[in-house]
Coordinates of all heavy atoms in Angstrom, one line a residue:
M1010 N 0.8 -1.2 0.0 CA 0.0 0.0 0.0 C 0.9 1.2 0.0 O 1.9 1.3 0.7 CB -0.9 0.0 1.2 CG -1.8 1.2 1.4 SD -2.9 1.1 2.7 CE -4.4 1.1 1.8
W1011 N 0.4 2.3 -0.7 CA 1.2 3.5 -0.8 C 1.5 4.1 0.5 O 2.6 4.6 0.7 CB 0.5 4.5 -1.7 CG 1.2 5.8 -1.9 CD1 2.2 6.0 -2.8 CD2 1.0 7.0 -1.2 NE1 2.6 7.3 -2.7 CE2 1.9 7.9 -1.7 CE3 0.2 7.3 -0.1 CZ2 2.0 9.2 -1.1 CZ3 0.3 8.6 0.4 CH2 1.2 9.5 -0.1
A1012 N 0.6 4.2 1.4 CA 0.8 4.8 2.7 C 1.9 4.1 3.5 O 2.7 4.8 4.2 CB -0.5 4.8 3.5
T1013 N 1.9 2.8 3.5 CA 3.0 2.1 4.2 C 4.3 2.3 3.6 O 5.3 2.5 4.3 CB 2.6 0.6 4.1 OG1 1.4 0.4 4.7 CG2 3.7 -0.3 4.9
Q1014 N 4.4 2.3 2.2 CA 5.7 2.6 1.5 C 6.2 4.0 1.8 O 7.3 4.2 2.0 CB 5.5 2.4 0.0 CG 5.3 0.9 -0.3 CD 5.0 0.7 -1.8 OE1 4.8 1.7 -2.5 NE2 5.0 -0.5 -2.2
S1015 N 5.3 5.0 1.8 CA 5.7 6.4 1.9 C 6.0 6.8 3.3 O 6.9 7.6 3.5 CB 4.6 7.3 1.3 OG 3.5 7.3 2.1
T1016 N 5.4 6.2 4.3 CA 5.7 6.5 5.7 C 6.6 5.6 6.4 O 7.2 5.9 7.4 CB 4.4 6.5 6.5 OG1 3.8 5.2 6.5 CG2 3.4 7.5 6.0
G1017 N 6.8 4.4 5.8 CA 7.6 3.4 6.5 C 6.9 2.8 7.7 O 7.6 2.0 8.5
I1018 N 5.6 3.0 7.9 CA 4.9 2.5 9.0 C 4.0 1.4 8.5 O 3.2 1.6 7.6 CB 4.1 3.6 9.7 CG1 5.0 4.7 10.2 CG2 3.2 3.0 10.8 CD1 4.3 6.0 10.6
D1019 N 4.1 0.2 9.1 CA 3.2 -0.9 8.8 C 2.2 -1.1 9.9 O 2.6 -1.5 11.0 CB 4.1 -2.2 8.6 CG 3.2 -3.4 8.2 OD1 2.0 -3.2 8.0 OD2 3.8 -4.4 8.0
P1020 N 1.0 -0.7 9.8 CA 0.0 -0.8 10.9 C -0.2 -2.3 11.4 O -0.4 -2.4 12.6 CB -1.3 -0.2 10.3 CG -1.1 -0.4 8.8 CD 0.3 -0.3 8.5
V1021 N 0.0 -3.2 10.5 CA -0.2 -4.6 11.0 C 1.0 -5.0 11.9 O 0.8 -5.5 13.0 CB -0.2 -5.6 9.8 CG1 -0.3 -7.0 10.2 CG2 -1.5 -5.3 8.9
A1022 N 2.2 -4.7 11.5 CA 3.4 -5.0 12.4 C 3.3 -4.2 13.7 O 3.6 -4.7 14.7 CB 4.6 -4.6 11.6
L1023 N 2.8 -2.9 13.6 CA 2.7 -2.1 14.8 C 1.6 -2.7 15.7 O 1.9 -2.7 16.9 CB 2.2 -0.7 14.3 CG 2.3 0.4 15.4 CD1 3.7 0.6 15.9 CD2 1.7 1.7 14.8
A1024 N 0.6 -3.2 15.2 CA -0.5 -3.8 16.1 C 0.0 -5.1 16.7 O -0.4 -5.5 17.8 CB -1.7 -4.1 15.3
Q1025 N 0.9 -5.9 16.0 CA 1.4 -7.1 16.5 C 2.6 -7.0 17.4 O 2.9 -7.9 18.2 CB 1.8 -8.1 15.3 CG 0.6 -8.5 14.6 CD 0.9 -9.3 13.3 OE1 2.1 -9.3 12.9 NE2 -0.1 -9.9 12.7
A1026 N 3.3 -5.8 17.4 CA 4.4 -5.6 18.2 C 4.0 -5.5 19.7 O 3.0 -5.1 20.0 CB 5.1 -4.3 17.8
P1027 N 5.0 -5.9 20.6 CA 4.7 -5.8 22.0 C 4.4 -4.3 22.4 O 5.0 -3.4 21.7 CB 5.9 -6.3 22.7 CG 6.7 -7.0 21.7 CD 6.2 -6.5 20.4
A1028 N 3.6 -4.1 23.4 CA 3.3 -2.7 23.8 C 4.5 -1.9 24.2 O 4.5 -0.7 23.9 CB 2.2 -2.7 24.9
Q1029 N 5.4 -2.6 24.8 CA 6.6 -1.9 25.2 C 7.8 -2.8 25.3 O 7.7 -3.9 25.8 CB 6.4 -1.3 26.6 CG 7.7 -0.7 27.2 CD 7.5 -0.3 28.7 OE1 6.4 -0.5 29.2 NE2 8.5 0.3 29.3
A1030 N 8.9 -2.4 24.8 CA 10.1 -3.2 24.9 C 10.8 -2.9 26.2 O 11.0 -1.8 26.5 CB 11.1 -2.9 23.7
Q1031 N 11.0 -4.0 27.0 CA 11.7 -3.8 28.2 C 13.2 -3.5 28.0 O 13.8 -4.1 27.2 CB 11.6 -5.1 29.1 CG 10.2 -5.4 29.5 CD 9.7 -4.5 30.7 OE1 10.5 -3.9 31.4 NE2 8.4 -4.3 30.8
S1032 N 13.7 -2.5 28.7 CA 15.1 -2.2 28.6 C 15.6 -1.9 30.0 O 14.8 -1.5 30.9 CB 15.3 -1.0 27.7 OG 14.7 0.1 28.2
G1033 N 16.9 -2.1 30.2 CA 17.5 -1.8 31.5 C 17.3 -3.0 32.4 O 17.0 -4.1 32.0
P1034 N 17.4 -2.7 33.7 CA 17.3 -3.8 34.7 C 15.9 -4.3 34.9 O 15.0 -3.6 34.4 CB 17.8 -3.1 36.0 CG 17.5 -1.7 35.8 CD 17.7 -1.4 34.4
A1035 N 15.8 -5.4 35.5 CA 14.4 -5.9 35.7 C 13.6 -4.8 36.5 O 14.2 -4.1 37.2 CB 14.5 -7.2 36.6
V1036 N 12.3 -4.9 36.3 CA 11.5 -3.8 36.9 C 11.7 -3.8 38.4 O 11.5 -4.8 39.1 CB 10.0 -4.1 36.5 CG1 9.1 -3.1 37.2 CG2 9.8 -4.1 35.0
G1037 N 12.1 -2.6 38.8 CA 12.3 -2.4 40.3 C 13.6 -2.8 40.8 O 13.9 -2.5 41.9
G1038 N 14.5 -3.4 39.9 CA 15.8 -3.8 40.4 C 16.6 -2.7 41.0 O 17.0 -2.7 42.2
G1039 N 17.0 -1.8 40.2 CA 17.9 -0.7 40.7 C 17.2 0.3 41.6 O 17.8 0.7 42.6
E1040 N 16.0 0.6 41.4 CA 15.3 1.5 42.2 C 15.1 1.0 43.6 O 15.2 1.7 44.6 CB 13.9 1.9 41.6 CG 14.0 2.7 40.4 CD 13.9 1.9 39.1 OE1 14.1 0.7 39.2 OE2 13.8 2.5 38.0
R1041 N 14.8 -0.3 43.7 CA 14.5 -0.9 45.0 C 15.8 -1.0 45.8 O 15.8 -0.7 47.0 CB 13.9 -2.3 44.9 CG 12.5 -2.3 44.4 CD 11.9 -3.6 44.4 NE 10.5 -3.5 43.9 CZ 9.9 -4.5 43.3 NH1 10.5 -5.6 43.1 NH2 8.6 -4.3 42.9
A1042 N 16.9 -1.4 45.2 CA 18.2 -1.5 45.9 C 18.6 -0.2 46.4 O 19.1 0.0 47.5 CB 19.2 -2.2 45.0
G1043 N 18.5 0.8 45.5 CA 18.9 2.2 45.9 C 18.0 2.7 47.1 O 18.5 3.3 48.0
G1044 N 16.7 2.4 47.0 CA 15.8 2.9 48.0 C 16.1 2.2 49.3 O 16.1 2.8 50.4
A1045 N 16.4 0.9 49.3 CA 16.8 0.2 50.5 C 18.0 0.7 51.1 O 18.1 0.9 52.4 CB 16.9 -1.3 50.2
A1046 N 19.0 1.0 50.3 CA 20.3 1.5 50.9 C 20.1 2.9 51.5 O 20.6 3.1 52.6 CB 21.3 1.6 49.8
R1047 N 19.4 3.7 50.8 CA 19.1 5.1 51.4 C 18.3 4.9 52.7 O 18.5 5.6 53.7 CB 18.4 6.0 50.4 CG 19.3 6.4 49.3 CD 18.6 7.5 48.4 NE 17.3 7.0 47.8 CZ 17.3 6.2 46.6 NH1 18.4 6.0 46.0 NH2 16.2 5.8 46.2
G1048 N 17.3 4.1 52.7 CA 16.4 3.9 53.8 C 17.2 3.3 55.0 O 17.0 3.7 56.2
A1049 N 18.1 2.4 54.7 CA 18.9 1.8 55.8 C 19.8 2.8 56.5 O 19.9 2.9 57.7 CB 19.7 0.6 55.3
L1050 N 20.4 3.6 55.6 CA 21.3 4.7 56.2 C 20.5 5.7 57.0 O 20.9 6.0 58.1 CB 22.0 5.4 55.0 CG 23.1 4.6 54.3 CD1 23.7 5.4 53.2 CD2 24.2 4.2 55.3
G1051 N 19.4 6.1 56.5 CA 18.6 7.0 57.3 C 18.0 6.4 58.5 O 18.0 7.0 59.6
G1052 N 17.6 5.2 58.4 CA 17.1 4.5 59.6 C 18.1 4.2 60.6 O 17.9 4.3 61.8
A1053 N 19.4 3.9 60.2 CA 20.5 3.7 61.1 C 20.7 5.0 61.9 O 21.0 5.0 63.1 CB 21.7 3.2 60.4
A1054 N 20.7 6.1 61.2 CA 21.0 7.4 61.8 C 19.9 7.7 62.8 O 20.2 8.1 64.0 CB 21.0 8.5 60.8
I1055 N 18.6 7.5 62.5 CA 17.5 7.8 63.4 C 17.6 6.8 64.6 O 17.4 7.1 65.7 CB 16.2 7.7 62.7 CG1 16.0 8.8 61.7 CG2 15.0 7.7 63.7 CD1 14.9 8.7 60.8
G1056 N 17.9 5.5 64.3 CA 18.1 4.5 65.3 C 19.2 4.8 66.3 O 19.1 4.5 67.5
A1057 N 20.3 5.4 65.8 CA 21.4 5.7 66.6 C 21.0 6.8 67.6 O 21.4 6.7 68.8 CB 22.6 6.2 65.8
I1058 N 20.2 7.7 67.2 CA 19.7 8.8 68.1 C 18.8 8.1 69.1 O 18.9 8.5 70.3 CB 19.0 9.9 67.3 CG1 20.0 10.6 66.4 CG2 18.3 10.8 68.2 CD1 19.4 11.5 65.4
A1059 N 17.9 7.2 68.7 CA 17.0 6.6 69.6 C 17.6 5.5 70.5 O 17.0 5.1 71.4 CB 15.8 6.0 68.8
G1060 N 18.8 5.0 70.1 CA 19.5 4.0 70.9 C 19.6 2.6 70.3 O 20.2 1.8 70.8
D1061 N 19.0 2.4 69.1 CA 19.1 1.0 68.5 C 19.3 1.2 67.0 O 18.4 1.2 66.2 CB 17.8 0.2 68.7 CG 18.0 -1.2 68.3 OD1 19.0 -1.6 67.7 OD2 17.1 -2.0 68.6
A1062 N 20.6 1.4 66.5 CA 20.9 1.6 65.1 C 20.5 0.5 64.2 O 20.0 0.6 63.1 CB 22.4 1.9 65.0
G1063 N 20.6 -0.8 64.7 CA 20.3 -2.0 63.9 C 18.8 -2.0 63.6 O 18.5 -2.3 62.4
E1064 N 18.0 -1.8 64.6 CA 16.6 -1.9 64.3 C 16.2 -0.7 63.4 O 15.3 -0.9 62.5 CB 15.8 -1.8 65.6 CG 14.3 -2.0 65.4 CD 13.5 -2.0 66.7 OE1 14.1 -2.3 67.8 OE2 12.3 -1.7 66.7
G1065 N 16.7 0.4 63.6 CA 16.4 1.6 62.8 C 16.8 1.4 61.3 O 16.1 1.7 60.4
A1066 N 18.0 0.7 61.1 CA 18.4 0.4 59.8 C 17.5 -0.6 59.1 O 17.2 -0.5 57.9 CB 19.9 -0.2 59.8
A1067 N 17.1 -1.6 59.8 CA 16.1 -2.6 59.3 C 14.8 -1.9 58.8 O 14.3 -2.2 57.7 CB 15.9 -3.7 60.3
I1068 N 14.3 -1.1 59.7 CA 13.0 -0.4 59.4 C 13.2 0.5 58.2 O 12.4 0.5 57.3 CB 12.5 0.3 60.6 CG1 12.1 -0.6 61.7 CG2 11.4 1.3 60.2 CD1 11.8 0.0 63.0
G1069 N 14.4 1.2 58.2 CA 14.6 2.1 57.1 C 14.8 1.3 55.7 O 14.4 1.8 54.7
A1070 N 15.4 0.1 55.8 CA 15.6 -0.6 54.6 C 14.2 -1.1 54.0 O 14.0 -1.0 52.8 CB 16.4 -1.9 54.8
V1071 N 13.3 -1.5 54.9 CA 12.0 -1.9 54.4 C 11.2 -0.7 53.8 O 10.6 -0.8 52.7 CB 11.2 -2.5 55.6 CG1 9.7 -2.7 55.2 CG2 11.8 -3.8 56.0
V1072 N 11.3 0.4 54.5 CA 10.6 1.6 53.9 C 11.3 2.0 52.6 O 10.6 2.3 51.6 CB 10.7 2.8 54.9 CG1 10.2 4.1 54.3 CG2 9.9 2.5 56.2
G1073 N 12.6 1.9 52.5 CA 13.3 2.2 51.3 C 12.9 1.2 50.1 O 12.8 1.6 49.0
L1074 N 12.7 -0.1 50.4 CA 12.3 -1.0 49.4 C 10.9 -0.7 48.9 O 10.7 -0.7 47.7 CB 12.3 -2.4 50.0 CG 13.6 -3.2 50.1 CD1 13.4 -4.5 50.9 CD2 14.1 -3.5 48.7
M1075 N 10.1 -0.3 49.8 CA 8.7 0.1 49.4 C 8.7 1.3 48.5 O 8.1 1.4 47.4 CB 7.8 0.3 50.6 CG 7.5 -0.9 51.3 SD 6.7 -0.8 52.9 CE 5.7 0.7 52.9
A1076 N 9.5 2.3 48.8 CA 9.6 3.5 48.0 C 10.3 3.2 46.7 O 9.9 3.8 45.7 CB 10.4 4.6 48.8
G1077 N 11.3 2.4 46.7 CA 12.0 2.0 45.4 C 11.0 1.3 44.5 O 11.0 1.5 43.3
G1078 N 10.2 0.4 45.1 CA 9.2 -0.4 44.3 C 8.2 0.6 43.7 O 7.8 0.4 42.5
R1079 N 7.7 1.6 44.4 CA 6.8 2.6 43.9 C 7.4 3.4 42.8 O 6.8 3.6 41.8 CB 6.3 3.5 45.1 CG 5.3 4.5 44.7 CD 4.8 5.4 45.8 NE 5.9 6.0 46.6 CZ 6.1 5.6 47.9 NH1 5.4 4.7 48.5 NH2 7.1 6.2 48.6
Q1080 N 8.7 3.7 43.0 CA 9.3 4.5 41.9 C 9.5 3.6 40.6 O 9.3 4.1 39.5 CB 10.7 5.0 42.4 CG 11.4 5.8 41.3 CD 12.8 6.3 41.9 OE1 13.2 6.0 42.9 NE2 13.4 7.1 41.0
A1081 N 9.8 2.4 40.8 CA 9.9 1.5 39.7 C 8.6 1.3 38.9 O 8.5 1.4 37.7 CB 10.4 0.1 40.1
R1082 N 7.5 1.2 39.7 CA 6.1 1.1 39.0 C 5.8 2.4 38.3 O 5.3 2.4 37.2 CB 5.1 0.8 40.1 CG 5.1 -0.6 40.5 CD 3.9 -1.0 41.4 NE 3.8 -0.1 42.6 CZ 4.5 -0.3 43.8 NH1 5.3 -1.4 43.9 NH2 4.4 0.5 44.8
Q1083 N 6.2 3.6 38.9 CA 5.9 4.8 38.2 C 6.7 5.0 37.0 O 6.2 5.5 35.9 CB 6.2 6.0 39.2 CG 5.2 6.1 40.3 CD 5.7 7.1 41.4 OE1 6.8 7.5 41.4 NE2 4.7 7.5 42.2
N1084 N 8.0 4.5 37.0 CA 8.8 4.6 35.8 C 8.3 3.7 34.7 O 8.3 4.1 33.5 CB 10.3 4.2 36.2 CG 11.0 5.3 37.0 OD1 10.6 6.4 37.0 ND2 12.1 4.9 37.6
Q1085 N 7.8 2.5 35.1 CA 7.3 1.6 34.1 C 6.0 2.2 33.5 O 5.8 2.1 32.3 CB 7.0 0.2 34.8 CG 6.5 -0.8 33.7 CD 6.2 -2.1 34.4 OE1 5.9 -2.2 35.6 NE2 6.2 -3.2 33.6
Q1086 N 5.2 2.8 34.3 CA 4.0 3.4 33.8 C 4.3 4.5 32.8 O 3.7 4.6 31.8 CB 3.1 3.9 34.9 CG 1.8 4.4 34.5 CD 0.9 4.9 35.7 OE1 1.5 5.2 36.8 NE2 -0.4 5.0 35.5
K1087 N 5.3 5.3 33.2 CA 5.7 6.4 32.3 C 6.2 5.9 31.0 O 5.8 6.4 29.9 CB 6.7 7.2 33.0 CG 7.2 8.4 32.2 CD 8.2 9.2 33.0 CE 8.7 10.4 32.2 NZ 9.8 11.2 32.9
Q1088 N 7.0 4.8 31.0 CA 7.5 4.2 29.8 C 6.4 3.7 28.9 O 6.4 3.8 27.7 CB 8.5 3.1 30.1 CG 9.8 3.7 30.6 CD 10.7 2.5 31.1 OE1 10.4 1.4 31.1 NE2 12.0 2.9 31.4
Q1089 N 5.4 3.0 29.5 CA 4.2 2.5 28.8 C 3.4 3.6 28.2 O 3.0 3.5 27.0 CB 3.4 1.6 29.7 CG 4.0 0.3 30.1 CD 3.2 -0.5 31.1 OE1 2.3 0.1 31.8 NE2 3.4 -1.7 31.2
Q1090 N 3.2 4.7 28.9 CA 2.5 5.8 28.3 C 3.2 6.4 27.1 O 2.6 6.8 26.1 CB 2.3 6.9 29.4 CG 1.2 6.5 30.4 CD 1.2 7.5 31.6 OE1 2.0 8.3 31.8 NE2 0.1 7.3 32.4
Q1091 N 4.6 6.6 27.2 CA 5.4 7.1 26.1 C 5.3 6.2 24.9 O 5.2 6.6 23.8 CB 6.8 7.3 26.6 CG 7.0 8.4 27.5 CD 8.4 8.5 28.1 OE1 9.2 7.6 28.0 NE2 8.7 9.7 28.7
A1092 N 5.4 4.9 25.1 CA 5.3 3.9 24.0 C 3.9 4.0 23.4 O 3.8 3.9 22.1 CB 5.6 2.5 24.5
Q1093 N 2.9 4.1 24.2 CA 1.5 4.2 23.6 C 1.4 5.4 22.8 O 0.8 5.4 21.7 CB 0.5 4.1 24.7 CG -0.9 4.1 24.2 CD -1.9 4.0 25.4 OE1 -1.6 4.0 26.6 NE2 -3.2 3.9 25.1
S1094 N 1.9 6.5 23.3 CA 1.8 7.8 22.6 C 2.5 7.8 21.3 O 2.1 8.3 20.3 CB 2.4 8.9 23.5 OG 2.4 10.1 22.8
Q1095 N 3.7 7.1 21.3 CA 4.5 7.0 20.1 C 3.7 6.1 19.0 O 3.7 6.5 17.8 CB 5.8 6.4 20.4 CG 6.7 6.2 19.1 CD 8.1 5.6 19.5 OE1 8.3 5.1 20.6 NE2 9.0 5.7 18.5
R1096 N 3.1 5.0 19.5 CA 2.4 4.2 18.6 C 1.2 5.0 18.0 O 0.9 4.9 16.8 CB 1.9 3.0 19.3 CG 3.0 2.0 19.6 CD 2.5 0.9 20.4 NE 1.9 -0.1 19.5 CZ 1.9 -1.4 19.8 NH1 2.2 -1.8 21.0 NH2 1.4 -2.3 19.0
Q1097 N 0.5 5.8 18.8 CA -0.6 6.6 18.3 C -0.2 7.6 17.3 O -0.9 7.8 16.3 CB -1.3 7.2 19.5 CG -2.6 7.9 19.1 CD -3.6 7.0 18.5 OE1 -3.9 6.0 19.1 NE2 -4.2 7.4 17.4
Q1098 N 1.0 8.2 17.5 CA 1.5 9.2 16.6 C 1.8 8.5 15.3 O 1.5 9.1 14.2 CB 2.7 9.9 17.1 CG 2.5 10.8 18.3 CD 3.7 11.4 18.9 OE1 4.8 10.9 18.6 NE2 3.6 12.3 19.8
Q1099 N 2.4 7.3 15.3 CA 2.7 6.6 14.1 C 1.4 6.2 13.3 O 1.3 6.4 12.1 CB 3.5 5.3 14.4 CG 4.9 5.6 14.8 CD 5.6 4.4 15.3 OE1 5.0 3.4 15.7 NE2 6.9 4.4 15.1
M1100 N 0.4 5.8 14.1 CA -0.9 5.5 13.4 C -1.5 6.7 12.8 O -2.1 6.7 11.7 CB -1.9 4.8 14.4 CG -1.5 3.3 14.6 SD -1.4 2.3 13.1 CE -3.1 2.5 12.4
N1101 N -1.5 7.9 13.5 CA -2.0 9.1 13.0 C -1.3 9.5 11.7 O -1.9 9.9 10.7 CB -1.9 10.2 14.0 CG -2.8 10.1 15.1 OD1 -3.8 9.3 15.1 ND2 -2.5 10.8 16.2
T1102 N 0.1 9.3 11.6 CA 0.8 9.6 10.4 C 0.4 8.7 9.3 O 0.2 9.2 8.2 CB 2.3 9.4 10.7 OG1 2.7 10.3 11.7 CG2 3.2 9.6 9.4
W1103 N 0.2 7.4 9.6 CA -0.2 6.5 8.5 C -1.6 6.8 8.0 O -1.9 6.8 6.8 CB -0.1 5.0 9.1 CG -0.4 4.0 8.0 CD1 0.5 3.5 7.2 CD2 -1.6 3.3 7.8 NE1 -0.1 2.6 6.4 CE2 -1.4 2.4 6.7 CE3 -2.9 3.4 8.3 CZ2 -2.4 1.6 6.2 CZ3 -3.9 2.6 7.8 CH2 -3.6 1.7 6.8
N1104 N -2.5 7.1 9.0 CA -3.9 7.5 8.6 C -3.9 8.7 7.7 O -4.7 8.8 6.8 CB -4.8 7.7 9.8 CG -5.1 6.4 10.5 OD1 -5.2 5.3 9.9 ND2 -5.3 6.4 11.8
R1105 N -3.1 9.7 8.0 CA -3.0 10.9 7.1 C -2.6 10.5 5.7 O -3.1 11.1 4.7 CB -2.1 12.0 7.8 CG -2.8 12.7 8.9 CD -2.0 14.0 9.3 NE -0.6 13.7 9.7 CZ -0.2 13.3 10.9 NH1 -1.1 13.2 11.9 NH2 1.0 13.1 11.2
A1106 N -1.6 9.6 5.7 CA -1.1 9.2 4.4 C -2.2 8.4 3.6 O -2.3 8.6 2.4 CB 0.1 8.3 4.5
V1107 N -3.0 7.6 4.3 CA -4.1 6.9 3.6 C -5.1 7.9 3.1 O -5.6 7.8 2.0 CB -4.7 5.9 4.5 CG1 -6.1 5.4 4.0 CG2 -3.8 4.7 4.8
G1108 N -5.4 8.9 3.9 CA -6.3 10.0 3.5 C -5.8 10.7 2.3 O -6.6 11.0 1.4
A1109 N -4.5 11.0 2.3 CA -4.0 11.8 1.1 C -4.1 10.9 -0.1 O -4.4 11.4 -1.2 CB -2.5 12.1 1.4
C1110 N -3.8 9.6 0.0 CA -3.9 8.7 -1.1 C -5.4 8.6 -1.7 O -5.6 8.7 -2.9 CB -3.4 7.3 -0.7 SG -3.6 6.1 -2.0
L1111 N -6.3 8.5 -0.8 CA -7.7 8.4 -1.2 C -8.2 9.7 -1.8 O -8.9 9.7 -2.8 CB -8.6 8.1 0.0 CG -8.4 6.6 0.5 CD1 -9.2 6.4 1.8 CD2 -8.9 5.6 -0.5
E1112 N -7.8 10.9 -1.2 CA -8.2 12.2 -1.8 C -7.6 12.4 -3.2 O -8.2 12.9 -4.1 CB -7.8 13.3 -0.9 CG -8.7 13.4 0.4 CD -8.2 14.4 1.3 OE1 -7.1 15.0 1.2 OE2 -9.0 14.7 2.2
A1113 N -6.3 11.9 -3.4 CA -5.7 12.0 -4.7 C -6.5 11.2 -5.8 O -6.4 11.5 -7.0 CB -4.3 11.5 -4.6
R1114 N -7.2 10.2 -5.3 CA -8.0 9.3 -6.2 C -9.4 9.8 -6.4 O -10.3 9.2 -7.0 CB -8.0 7.9 -5.8 CG -6.6 7.3 -5.9 CD -6.6 5.9 -5.3 NE -5.2 5.4 -5.3 CZ -4.9 4.2 -5.7 NH1 -5.9 3.4 -6.1 NH2 -3.7 3.8 -5.7
G1115 N -9.7 11.0 -5.7 CA -11.0 11.6 -5.9 C -12.0 11.3 -4.8 O -13.2 11.7 -4.9
Y1116 N -11.6 10.6 -3.8 CA -12.5 10.3 -2.6 C -12.5 11.4 -1.6 O -11.6 12.2 -1.6 CB -12.1 9.0 -1.9 CG -12.2 7.7 -2.8 CD1 -11.2 7.2 -3.5 CD2 -13.5 7.1 -2.8 CE1 -11.3 6.1 -4.2 CE2 -13.6 5.9 -3.6 CZ -12.5 5.4 -4.3 OH -12.7 4.3 -5.1
T1117 N -13.6 11.5 -0.9 CA -13.7 12.5 0.2 C -13.4 11.8 1.5 O -14.0 10.8 1.8 CB -15.1 13.1 0.2 OG1 -15.4 13.7 -1.0 CG2 -15.2 14.2 1.3
V1118 N -12.4 12.4 2.2 CA -12.0 11.8 3.5 C -12.4 12.8 4.6 O -12.1 14.0 4.5 CB -10.5 11.5 3.5 CG1 -10.1 11.0 4.9 CG2 -10.2 10.6 2.4
R1119 N -13.0 12.3 5.6 CA -13.4 13.2 6.8 C -12.5 13.0 7.9 O -12.1 12.0 8.2 CB -14.8 13.0 7.2 CG -15.8 13.4 6.1 CD -17.2 13.2 6.6 NE -18.1 13.4 5.5 CZ -19.4 13.5 5.6 NH1 -19.9 13.5 6.8 NH2 -20.2 13.7 4.6

């Protein structure tokens, strides 16, 4: 089809492609480890003031893991939204090309 050739976008391949290509570490890998480390350090400092640095570090690590997991989910959601937006833009480009082709042949496109 002329629209596919002129735009380089194949709507069939686009529909069959995965919604998002995973890149980087496993979901939550880096964010969780970083969050746990920051939480453990903060918790140890608070625990040292309160008198039990070990317990404070453990609590801080758990809180850090939870925060890191939340950040990982937010990052994944953002990537999915960007991928969806990009696919929509590609389909809009292809649809405009189909419309131009049909109008060139005398059809009315709305």
Side-chain angles (χ1 to χ4, degrees):
M1010 175 176 248
W1011 179 85
T1013 301
Q1014 292 173 350
S1015 66
T1016 63
I1018 299 169
D1019 182 1
V1021 174
L1023 192 62
Q1025 292 174 349
Q1029 174 189 2
Q1031 292 286 336
S1032 63
V1036 176
E1040 291 92 349
R1041 287 184 182 154
R1047 286 188 301 277
L1050 290 175
I1055 293 170
I1058 294 169
D1061 190 353
E1064 185 177 338
I1068 292 169
V1071 169
V1072 171
L1074 279 172
M1075 291 172 26
R1079 181 175 51 248
Q1080 183 178 2
R1082 287 187 300 277
Q1083 289 171 346
N1084 288 343
Q1085 183 181 22
Q1086 183 180 23
K1087 182 179 177 181
Q1088 289 173 354
Q1089 288 174 341
Q1090 289 171 344
Q1091 289 172 343
Q1093 184 178 4
S1094 175
Q1095 182 180 10
R1096 291 174 85 153
Q1097 187 61 48
Q1098 289 173 354
Q1099 290 175 331
M1100 282 305 301
N1101 290 343
T1102 299
W1103 188 82
N1104 286 333
R1105 283 192 302 273
V1107 168
C1110 177
L1111 290 172
E1112 286 177 348
R1114 294 175 184 227
Y1116 294 95
T1117 301
V1118 178
R1119 294 184 189 193

